[in-house]
Amino acid sequence: MITMSDELGLTGDLDTEVSQQRRDRATRVVAATATDAAECAMLLEMLGLSPEIGGTRSVHRAA
């Protein structure tokens, strides 16, 4: 949590934690929409993500 104050002196707690599931999904969306590897790496870095985050995903299929 980060506590911030505004010009009026009011403070509030901001919840800055993101679930692992959302981080995984964001990583996959960036990878799928980037035009090339360099753009993907730049966007992931800007978001504070890494390629390893979204790399594994287990898929269970019915028999």
Side-chain angles (χ1 to χ4, degrees):
M1 287 262 190
I2 297 174
T3 302
M4 299 183 71
S5 63
D6 62 15
E7 305 88 46
L8 301 174
L10 302 174
T11 60
D13 292 333
L14 298 176
D15 186 4
T16 58
E17 295 203 18
V18 178
S19 72
Q20 187 63 44
Q21 182 179 12
R22 284 190 172 225
R23 293 174 64 83
D24 291 348
R25 185 171 182 202
T27 301
R28 288 191 299 272
V29 168
V30 168
T33 58
T35 57
D36 58 27
E39 182 182 54
C40 181
M42 178 189 67
L43 293 171
L44 290 174
E45 183 178 347
M46 290 171 67
L47 294 171
L49 301 171
S50 67
E52 294 80 24
I53 291 173
T56 58
R57 183 168 111 179
S58 59
V59 177
H60 300 283
R61 298 190 176 152

